[in-house]
Amino acid sequence: MAQPKQFSLRPLLQTSATTEDSSVALEGSFRIHIKRDDMAALGITADQPILLKCEATGASGVGIAWASNEPKNQGSPPFVKVSHAQNQRCGFAYQNKCTISKYLGAFILIKIITISDITARGGLKGAIDGIEDWILWAGISLAQLGAVDSSGTLEVQPWINHIKGMKRRFKIDKIVAQSSPDSENGAYIPYYFNLKNSRVEIAGCFTPIVNEDFTLPVRSVDANKSLQFEFEGLKGLDEQLKKLCQHISKINRVLNEHQRCSKYSRPSPVLIHGPSGVGKTTVLEKLGNANWNKVVRVDSSSGRKPDTALPRLFSEAFSAQPSLILLDDLDFFAGSKSDSRDFAYSLSREIHKLAGSSVQVVASVTSLSGIDQKLLDCFKIDIELPIPTSMTRLDILKHFTPKMSAELLENVADRTHAFTARDLDKLCQIAYDAADERATNLVDSAEAYQEAEITKDDFERALLLVHPSIMNEAYIEVPKVYWSDIAGSEEMKEKLWEAVNLPFEHPDAVEQANVQPSGGILLYGPPGCSKTLTAKALATESGLNFIAVKGPELISKYVGDSEQKIRDVFRKARAAAPSVIFFDEIDSIAPNRGAGHEGLNTVATLLNEMDGVEDVKRVLVLGATNRPDAIDPALLRPGRFGHTLYIGPPQTKAIEQILEMQTKKMHPAEDLGLADIARKMSNFADAYYSGADVWALCQAAAVKLARECVKRGELVGLEKRHLLEALEVSTPSLSRESVEELRKWSITGTTRR
């Protein structure tokens, strides 16, 4: 069995507060500074209680883990740094070897702590005003320490409305514990102060002795106060706002029935999440307008010194109950990345301290996956603000443009799939600008100007410029390809219409006939035969949100990164439904797991996501490959890629159509002989021209035409000889053997066309 790692003890250089007493300042004195890589190896996080044990001397004690700024170990012996006070408490000696482990026990709860003022310029003497305020702030300071010693001093400084009060230093005279220390082998265990169960007494002041039911006073709590919340103007969020109000209104119960309120009836932190633009920030702003005693906002500036800034902000909220703490865009400054981990841990510690109080914490994030798990566990309630539906989009549009006709707004609502409230606001703004520009151009003077009404043309113009913000990522491309741009393939177009347009445009007929729409369609065939072009045309003609992904873009060298990218694609598609996900070169992310790719988990992730699409009628998965035999067979069954469409090389008629489409902008002669050229291109015994080959031939002819124009010094049109000259040097790229092999490919259980 491996021996536990040994650490040398080194002194921590720190400046103790100057006091009239020789006791050490308690601020930071319990921290045990450990290098970050050592903490990771031990499975320890910042602010976690840990046990130091010296095997040689038998001395041991508990402290609080703290991330050191020391560089990573590079061959030097491992060490930790402890304060002089902690060294004496535990009976250590510097350079002792010790082991570190998690401390699973509990600190000793303080029942009563007596302190006295030792500020150098005079203390709290006699009966003075505001003694309960100093008791309050002393209690807050003790709770923020995390650990307390029976001998030591602490600094107390009120902090109200961002204004710092006078500082005073107090010495701890006596501690009465709730229970006896439960220490194994004589290990030093510190005390801790709890705002609900511990109480403070200040010696030397004429304050009455409080009874056993004493709780820490909070001077601003108004037992007769009732918080009122208004969320006017937020359309489409009725259910979510009702849930939020019901939960936060529990604060009124705490204010009026504090002693009789069970833990389940008390408010707890709320996390609001949803895509950008759905109204999270607006909800927080409306919530902050309620009649709180204090609203505290935590932002990224608090992350610079979280161990000092956060306790100050939370103490300010605690001192003015009922109060509200808002954390907008929490994932921006307290996400799961390592550089924000310390902030996340400090924040979670401060939130836990508020349990049972009338301080409400509300945060907003874009995605739950972007939050550190330790911090995420602090939020007992999470409320998702969804992408607006067709009905809620109509309500939002009516709110933004109340003078518009209902028929026009219904048309716009039906065409704005996946638009958030912010997107719709932007759409209406651009439509108004178009109407305003038209109205301005119709008058000769400012006096004659009248505000124009927004028309259908104005919205049509705006729809060309605004698209769903949820689609603003690298995977998205906006195709502008139409069925008329693709020659031939009439059967393929018909099948795609059945799979896409039929369920989306005629849902009643599909439901009546009990048709189960395809969950996925696989397009396969030789390279250069319009598989990708077909997917783009499908997206353009159907009007659905289109998510295009090239398979190799998802492959990452980092463990789990490829799988997360696939999950993100499906999450986005569900949010933007109705939508189409197009995986180009899908064989790169879904290879046959029996062909040497056993370690690739992307196949399993893709299977889970396709089976777990929340509403298959609203999301279609489209795949394209020229290697269908390389795809894992598990994907090729009904419910996944249950339909396969073969897209082969163009035949004579299709080649003629491609030639006509490509040459019509080259100022062609009256007769180019395209039918004759198409027959020559399709008359090879052992090879085929692909659609890309036909396009390349036209480009070669165009180059010959351009060079002739330059040589002759005048513009001339395309003639048949240009195409024939290009044809003489062109060769088909597809062998008959490879094409026939793909044509005959099939797999049991799929519907092949």
Side-chain angles (χ1 to χ4, degrees), residues 220-267:
S220 299
V221 169
D222 184 355
N224 297 317
K225 187 170 188 174
S226 180
L227 293 170
Q228 304 295 327
F229 311 102
E230 295 182 0
F231 294 100
E232 294 182 359
L234 292 176
K235 301 296 182 181
L237 298 175
D238 296 341
E239 182 179 347
Q240 291 77 17
L241 295 178
K242 180 180 179 181
K243 180 179 178 182
L244 179 63
C245 287
Q246 286 177 343
H247 178 75
I248 296 183
S249 295
K250 291 179 181 179
I251 280 192
N252 293 331
R253 205 172 303 156
V254 175
L255 294 174
N256 299 324
E257 304 179 28
H258 186 73
Q259 298 298 329
R260 293 180 286 127
C261 188
S262 71
K263 67 176 182 178
Y264 297 112
S265 299
R266 298 170 186 165

Side-chain angles (χ1 to χ4, degrees), residues 43 116 146 150 245 467 579-580 589 753:
S116 57
S150 57
C245 287
H467 61 277
S579 60
V580 177
I589 61 169
R753 292 291 185 98

Side-chain angles (χ1 to χ4, degrees), residues 431-443 449 452 458 461:
Y432 174 82
D433 290 343
D436 184 66
E437 181 182 355
R438 185 182 65 256
T440 304
N441 294 335
L442 292 177
V443 298
Y449 172 80
D458 298 325
R461 180 176 175 181

Side-chain angles (χ1 to χ4, degrees), residues 655 658-660 662-663 666 672-674 677-678 680-682 684 689-705 718-732:
I655 292 176
I658 296 173
L659 289 171
E660 183 178 355
Q662 293 297 321
T663 59
M666 300 179 186
L672 292 178
L674 298 182
I677 294 174
K680 291 182 178 181
M681 295 182 72
S682 59
F684 282 82
Y689 275 91
S690 69
D693 294 336
V694 180
W695 175 86
L697 181 134
C698 294
Q699 288 299 302
V703 171
K704 291 181 181 295
L705 173 63
L718 183 71
E719 298 179 5
K720 182 177 180 179
R721 57 186 175 85
H722 296 118
L723 292 171
L724 292 175
E725 289 174 7
L727 182 61
E728 289 178 1
V729 296
S730 69
T731 57

